Amino acid sequence: MLNQLRLWALLRRPPKTMNLNPLAYLVVLKPSFSNLAAVDDSMDFSISNPRDPVREILRGFKSFGPFKFLSSDHFRMLISGLSPSQVDQILHTLRTHDAEFAVAVFHSLRDDYGFRHSKISNFIICHIVAEKGYLRELRQILRKMVESEGSDSAPCLCELLWNNFRGWNSSNLVWVMLANVYSSYGMVCDAFFIIRRMKHYNFQPSISTYNNLICNLRHPDINLRYPDIIWYIYRDIKASGLPPSEYTYSILIDALCNQSRLREAVTFFQEIVRKEFRPSIVLFNTLISGFCSNGSVDVAKSLLCMMLKYRVLPDGYSYNTLIHGMCVAGSVVEAMEFIHDMERNGIEPDLVTYNILVNGFCLLGNMNMARDLIWKMQFKGLDLNVVTYTILICGHCEMGNIREGLKLKKEMISQGFQLSIATYSVLQSSLCKVGLLDEAMGLLCEMKAVGLEPDLITYSILIDGFCKNGQMEMAIEIYTEMCSKGIIPDSFVYGAILSGLCQKGMISEAREYFDSLTQHYLVVDIILYNIMIDGYAKLGNIDEAVLLYEQIIENELTPSIITFNSLIYGLCNNRRLADAKRLLSHAIKVYGLVPSVVTYTTLMDAFYKEGNLNDVHELRREMEAKVVAPSVVTYTVVIKVFCKQSRLQEADQVLSDMRAKGLTPDQITYNTLIQGFCKVRNQEKALELFFEMQKHNLEPSPVTYNILINGLCMYRDLTRADEMFLYSLQNPNVRLTKTAYTTIIKAHSAKGNAHKAKIIFDLLERGFEITIKDYSAVINRLCKRFLLNEAKDFLRLMLSHGVYPDQELCHIMLNSFRRKGDVSSMSELMAEMIKSGLHY
């Protein structure tokens, strides 16, 4: 049993908020501080107060040595009262005497004392590290500044740079790097502003600065925000007199392709070819890659012909890119033909080519063709590499063949290859899906043993697997281990834990955990709200679900259709159908959401259960009007309604409509329809549907047999009921319920077939626990038929199993014996009654 106190203690333990990417110094600073020795009382620090902490700190560095004074209590006391402007003074002074020590003090104040430096201090250190050529550290400092300042902060930083650092060494490099950092964060307007200001201040941006900016225009979301900025930048390059390089043209075309602006990419390509120079293989490959990425493989193939027109021969990259595009599009067989084209042009397919093709067949689930390609590779002398093995492992795992995936893993290790974290994650995911959680944990231990550090994805897979399996304590232990390593969970992890707690019925623990996330860690995510609302709805606590919905509105989050589906489900389960329908007709429309098939099906099923059949038909018509495709469950609800209204022909037509639309009816669909025909005594149609199920490779369930046997017995067709019963016994995949046995036993007993009833009763005893009620049902029916000897046989059988008749059964049998004049049997039964403590 889950130890809830332990679980909750773990859940309430906050994740460690450590610095996940600590700044690593590029160099070990070893300042001599010889210049600092020149600092004395005669130096002008522009400080009137001789006891000023700035002067005391500088004097402390001189008197006690820099590193000793940095770690002293006196320094800690002084620094606690310093303002950012005073630190600016200290760093400015140290820069003049020993620049590297200024950098050391900057990092110590920030990392050891938690001091928040001003922009001035940051720029002082930026100029120092830029002058010394420490470009990585320069980028890291500027990245932190940009992260802190956010978008639209470039004008402020530019003004600060120009007013305070004009004429400083390496100032141009700081400007360029700042533009690059803004660009890398997708803040293209800020980056472009800095470039324009540089030109205004006579700093000349290099073509590489422009290239870096264009590189970051390849993201589609940037195109939505700044649709024309790419051409502004290109015109700015031309106006600056900078000659665009071939790389510039290449990334411009690539950026256009990544924004799905293929027509503009082709037009620009034709323009530069017409005006400037013969296109190179690089430009053609960029276009081929762009068109393949956008799914326009046919256009990409035509570019190969255009290459020959310009006397540019395709290379291996050209073919591999095109083959990859065709494989992604599912045209793997056609992609195979390009291997022959490669060989005709003197290009030998390499390992990359074969890996692409193997991956293509794996994506199609054709592992046999993938295996044939592997043999062809090896025949040509190409050995499998890590990528090949990973592709094959992913392919087998995707097909559910985890054993083959593990076998390839062993082979991979025996060949001396090191599995990647991604490969381990694929295997772990497959193991978790089939419930082999111990084996998945074994792979985690194996990863650690070979020196691989599990990442967020690895831990997420395991946490989700244990949560879905209901092993919450283990899931929380893994969660705790992950946080202890400084890996911050994401919404997927939080969601997995919340879902697991809700599924275990631990709704109060889930709510407290949810509140801790939203209040203390500022995780505000509609997905987490949806999980909690769904948890409350399924447990019947619709009031709490509605309160959470109101909280969503207060937090200015946008509810999703999943939010409303859960609320509608909860309201329907609480029989508040008017409120549920109001959500459909008003609240969902307010947010511009489209009701899904789940929305309609939930409401239709609820109205059916309440007997509001007209409302079900109304919702069905609304679905059709809004072109919401029904699901199998939707059709099943409609069939229930028609069966309830005895409109069996229309119900049967719905089944035909499902198949016509490519939907496969499930067992519940057929069971509903079969039961409908049984109720109207149309056993012929019911049996026809039964055999139709098998024709479509759908195994009838025990419920199917129950319905048919009950229907046949109800209308005295015991011959076919026996056939159906025997048919079910011969099917190893079906285990009839006790109800099916008792139904046919009662039917034979009522008809006087005591022998058959006894045979089936013996079968019933072998698989189920027999109660007084089961015996009474048979004996009662035999007595009504005056088959008293058979009734006595069942009575003896009952007594032999230690089951004694109750008073009602005794009364029935005594009355039957009395009417028959069987005094000896009456005496015998009365003796049994006395023995059982019953009184007549």
Side-chain angles (χ1 to χ4, degrees), residues 345-358:
N345 286 312
I347 302 171
E348 190 67 28
D350 56 10
L351 188 57
V352 174
T353 314
Y354 281 106
N355 281 343
I356 291 169
L357 287 166
V358 169

Side-chain angles (χ1 to χ4, degrees), residues 84 215 219 263 295 305 334 385 398 429 437 503 509 527 614 656 711 811 826:
C215 272
H219 303 292
R263 188 182 295 275
C305 301
E334 187 181 356
N385 64 359
E398 193 66 30
S429 178
L437 300 175
Q503 288 168 14
E509 289 84 355
I527 295 174
N614 290 332
S656 302
H811 289 172
M826 287 180 62

Side-chain angles (χ1 to χ4, degrees), residues 116-379:
R116 185 179 176 85
H117 288 292
S118 69
K119 291 188 281 290
I120 292 288
S121 288
N122 276 284
F123 277 134
I124 290 172
I125 303 305
C126 283
H127 282 80
I128 294 174
V129 296
E131 186 175 354
K132 293 188 174 295
Y134 303 155
L135 300 186
R136 183 179 177 185
E137 191 167 359
L138 172 62
R139 176 179 289 275
Q140 288 173 329
I141 296 171
L142 290 175
R143 283 177 72 89
K144 288 184 179 295
M145 286 185 68
V146 169
E147 285 174 2
S148 174
E149 298 298 318
S151 59
D152 301 324
S153 56
C156 173
L157 294 185
C158 285
E159 183 179 1
L160 191 149
L161 265 175
W162 178 249
N163 291 334
N164 294 276
F165 298 92
R166 193 184 317 167
W168 283 42
N169 292 338
S170 302
S171 191
N172 185 70
L173 181 56
V174 174
W175 281 79
V176 168
M177 188 65 79
L178 184 60
N180 289 343
V181 168
Y182 270 116
S183 175
S184 68
Y185 277 104
M187 303 177 191
V188 290
C189 285
D190 288 273
F192 194 48
F193 179 87
I194 291 172
I195 290 174
R196 302 299 292 269
R197 298 308 292 169
M198 286 177 70
K199 292 169 66 176
H200 178 74
Y201 295 138
N202 294 321
F203 293 137
Q204 180 58 58
S206 66
I207 191 64
S208 64
T209 305
Y210 282 107
N211 289 347
N212 186 61
L213 181 56
I214 297 169
C215 272
N216 290 284
L217 294 173
R218 294 179 294 179
H219 303 292
D221 60 324
I222 294 178
N223 180 46
L224 292 173
R225 285 183 288 160
Y226 319 112
D228 298 317
I229 197 167
I230 190 170
W231 296 119
Y232 283 121
I233 295 171
Y234 180 64
R235 285 194 288 270
D236 203 63
I237 293 173
K238 301 288 283 186
S240 300
L242 293 170
S245 64
E246 185 179 6
Y247 179 64
T248 309
Y249 291 131
S250 176
I251 58 176
L252 267 167
I253 291 171
D254 187 48
L256 290 168
C257 289
N258 274 278
Q259 296 173 2
S260 299
R261 298 161 71 172
L262 302 179
R263 188 182 295 275
E264 290 180 68
V266 172
T267 303
F268 181 66
F269 172 80
Q270 292 170 339
E271 179 187 327
I272 60 177
V273 168
R274 185 172 62 253
K275 291 184 178 180
E276 306 210 10
F277 58 86
R278 183 168 65 89
S280 68
I281 186 67
V282 174
L283 291 183
F284 274 112
N285 285 346
T286 304
L287 270 178
I288 290 171
S289 176
F291 276 97
C292 285
S293 297
N294 282 274
S296 303
V297 182
D298 291 335
V299 179
K301 285 191 289 185
S302 69
L303 288 169
L304 283 181
C305 301
M306 190 186 292
M307 291 174 76
L308 298 175
K309 174 186 173 183
Y310 285 99
R311 297 180 181 179
V312 177
L313 292 177
D315 58 8
Y317 183 85
S318 313
Y319 281 107
N320 287 343
T321 304
L322 188 54
I323 289 170
H324 179 264
M326 296 174 75
C327 287
V328 170
S331 304
V332 188
V333 176
E334 187 181 356
M336 288 281 290
E337 297 173 4
F338 274 85
I339 290 185
H340 306 301
D341 197 47
M342 291 177 72
E343 292 171 340
R344 280 196 301 271
N345 286 312
I347 302 171
E348 190 67 28
D350 56 10
L351 188 57
V352 174
T353 314
Y354 281 106
N355 281 343
I356 291 169
L357 287 166
V358 169
N359 187 53
F361 282 114
C362 288
L363 289 173
L364 291 177
N366 193 340
M367 300 308 297
N368 291 330
M369 279 300 298
R371 193 181 299 110
D372 291 344
L373 270 177
I374 296 297
W375 290 338
K376 188 173 182 180
M377 283 172 55
Q378 293 173 322
F379 181 76

Side-chain angles (χ1 to χ4, degrees), residues 327-446:
C327 287
V328 170
S331 304
V332 188
V333 176
E334 187 181 356
M336 288 281 290
E337 297 173 4
F338 274 85
I339 290 185
H340 306 301
D341 197 47
M342 291 177 72
E343 292 171 340
R344 280 196 301 271
N345 286 312
I347 302 171
E348 190 67 28
D350 56 10
L351 188 57
V352 174
T353 314
Y354 281 106
N355 281 343
I356 291 169
L357 287 166
V358 169
N359 187 53
F361 282 114
C362 288
L363 289 173
L364 291 177
N366 193 340
M367 300 308 297
N368 291 330
M369 279 300 298
R371 193 181 299 110
D372 291 344
L373 270 177
I374 296 297
W375 290 338
K376 188 173 182 180
M377 283 172 55
Q378 293 173 322
F379 181 76
K380 288 196 168 191
L382 295 172
D383 294 327
L384 280 66
N385 64 359
V386 174
V387 176
T388 320
Y389 276 110
T390 303
I391 290 169
L392 288 171
I393 289 171
C394 290
H396 282 294
C397 288
E398 193 66 30
M399 295 299 295
N401 193 351
I402 183 63
R403 292 187 182 278
E404 190 63 30
L406 292 171
K407 180 181 174 184
L408 282 168
K409 182 197 79 116
K410 289 181 181 178
E411 181 182 324
M412 191 176 174
I413 294 172
S414 68
Q415 294 291 328
F417 291 119
Q418 171 67 61
L419 275 72
S420 66
I421 293 178
T423 313
Y424 275 111
S425 295
V426 168
L427 287 167
Q428 286 172 322
S429 178
S430 298
L431 289 167
C432 288
K433 283 178 183 177
V434 296
L436 298 174
L437 300 175
D438 290 339
E439 288 81 352
M441 283 298 293
L443 287 180
L444 179 68
C445 297
E446 186 178 311

